[in-house]
Amino acid sequence: MNSIMVLLNIFISNVLLYLSVLHVYWAFGGLWPGKNKQELIDMVFGQGDRFPSRFACLFVATGLLLFAVLPFFWTFRKLLLLGESEIQFIFWILIFSTIIFITRGILGYIPQITKMWKPIFVYHTKLIYNPLCLFIGSGILVMILFG
């Protein structure tokens, strides 16, 4: 087993786990990184005056948790003695997550899209969210292709 792939897996899974926990925190009223609800909306959602529902936050948290766990199953599939159908299922979910993260990473660089967002969100998108999404999507793709 390639130690670089294991380290990549650990890093990506930890970031996704952290993001999942952050969405649970928001689902139950957490305001960080904002100081109030509108500031939080502006920083992490980019538009409007209503934050997504508790259900929506928990739905995203669940998806992020799934995306955090699946790379481990992929990396250790031989040790776990997974069957071909389980491996195929994990493969396609990882492909799906790769598409989601790379698409999200690219969208934040398209001016026609960013003009609809609050400036603080565009700032955070270009500085943090886009590069992180591109790294996660590319990292998962590398794990699929070479792991």
Side-chain angles (χ1 to χ4, degrees):
M1 186 159 317
N2 186 337
S3 60
I4 292 173
M5 290 300 154
V6 172
L7 290 174
L8 181 63
N9 183 320
I10 290 169
F11 178 78
I12 289 173
S13 292
N14 279 315
V15 168
L16 292 172
L17 180 61
Y18 169 77
L19 292 173
S20 177
V21 169
L22 188 57
H23 279 78
V24 171
Y25 167 75
W26 289 333
F28 291 98
L31 295 175
W32 184 86
K35 294 182 181 106
N36 58 54
K37 199 158 208 142
Q38 187 59 53
E39 193 173 289
L40 176 65
I41 292 166
D42 294 346
M43 293 175 91
V44 303
F45 195 57
Q47 59 186 0
D49 59 358
R50 295 180 66 206
F51 199 75
S53 68
R54 178 174 290 171
F55 175 80
C57 289
L58 292 174
F59 182 80
V60 171
T62 303
L64 289 167
L65 182 61
L66 174 68
F67 293 157
V69 172
L70 285 179
F72 277 104
F73 284 106
W74 181 259
T75 300
F76 299 106
R77 64 191 178 277
K78 292 176 185 168
L79 293 173
L80 295 170
L81 304 173
L82 296 176
E84 188 58 35
S85 62
E86 289 91 359
I87 291 172
Q88 285 297 311
F89 176 75
I90 294 168
F91 171 82
W92 287 110
I93 295 296
L94 289 173
I95 291 291
F96 177 71
S97 68
T98 298
I99 292 168
I100 289 173
F101 285 109
I102 290 177
T103 301
R104 170 58 184 90
I106 291 170
L107 288 177
Y109 291 115
I110 299 173
Q112 292 84 354
I113 292 175
T114 60
K115 71 180 180 183
M116 297 183 296
W117 296 337
K118 302 273 177 123
I120 189 71
F121 182 73
V122 174
Y123 172 78
H124 285 107
T125 287
K126 290 183 177 178
L127 182 68
I128 301 167
Y129 310 148
N130 291 348
L132 185 61
C133 286
L134 290 170
F135 179 81
I136 290 170
S138 301
I140 293 171
L141 185 59
V142 166
M143 281 190 286
I144 292 168
L145 296 176
F146 302 106

